[in-house]
Structure formats: C-alpha cells, structure tokens
Amino acid sequence: MARSQNSFIKKQKEKKKLQKKKEKQEKKKERQENNDKGGTLDDMIVYVDEFGNFSDEPPEPPKAKDKKKDEKKDEKKDENQ
C-alpha cells in the first residue's frame, strides 16, 4: 500500500508542477502581448520651447528676416574686406 500512495503523490506533484509551468508561460505570453514599452521613436521624442516647456509637437520654425536686409549686410561686409 505504501508503494501505491508514493507513486500517487509523485503523479500529483508532477501534475501541479506542469500546471504551474503552463500558467507561468500563459502569464509571460500575456505580458508580451500587452507590452507598451519601447514605442516608436516619434512617441518618445519631447520638444522644449524657448520658455522651457515640454510638448509633443515640434516648435514652429523661426520666421525668416527680410532677405533684403541680410543681403545688404553681406554686401557691406564684402566691401569692407
């Protein structure tokens, strides 16, 4: 009788072990499917404006000055050199 009890307990332990292993694999698979880490690069980029505030949108490019004024300054520099 001791032998049958012993083998029965071993089988029960093995069943529990396999069940735990199966549950662990299911949890692992679920975590991998629901993983939000490491999104796209665009999602991770944060922009800082001139006041130090963070935003998800890129800042507006600075407005270009009058080209005529810039050209005149360049011409004066060339004449002086």
Side-chain angles (χ1 to χ4, degrees):
M1 193 162 165
R3 265 190 154 170
S4 63
Q5 269 296 17
N6 200 7
S7 62
F8 176 76
I9 292 172
K10 286 182 181 179
K11 289 179 184 178
Q12 291 298 322
K13 285 183 180 180
E14 187 66 26
K15 284 182 182 178
K16 285 183 182 179
K17 188 176 180 181
L18 290 173
Q19 182 66 26
K20 283 185 180 182
K21 188 173 183 179
K22 185 178 179 181
E23 289 174 3
K24 189 175 180 179
Q25 287 176 344
E26 289 174 1
K27 287 181 184 179
K28 181 180 178 182
K29 185 177 179 182
E30 185 177 326
R31 281 194 311 267
Q32 287 176 345
E33 290 173 357
N34 297 332
N35 188 5
D36 293 336
K37 288 185 178 180
T40 62
L41 181 62
D42 294 333
D43 293 339
M44 292 188 277
I45 292 179
V46 176
Y47 299 97
V48 181
D49 63 5
E50 67 261 12
F51 304 112
N53 299 323
F54 301 116
S55 68
D56 295 334
E57 301 156 1
E60 295 179 8
K63 295 181 181 178
K65 296 180 183 179
D66 292 333
K67 291 184 179 180
K68 294 179 182 177
K69 290 181 182 179
D70 290 338
E71 290 175 3
K72 289 181 182 178
K73 288 180 183 177
D74 291 337
E75 289 175 10
K76 288 181 182 178
K77 287 181 182 177
D78 291 336
E79 291 174 3
N80 292 335
Q81 291 178 354

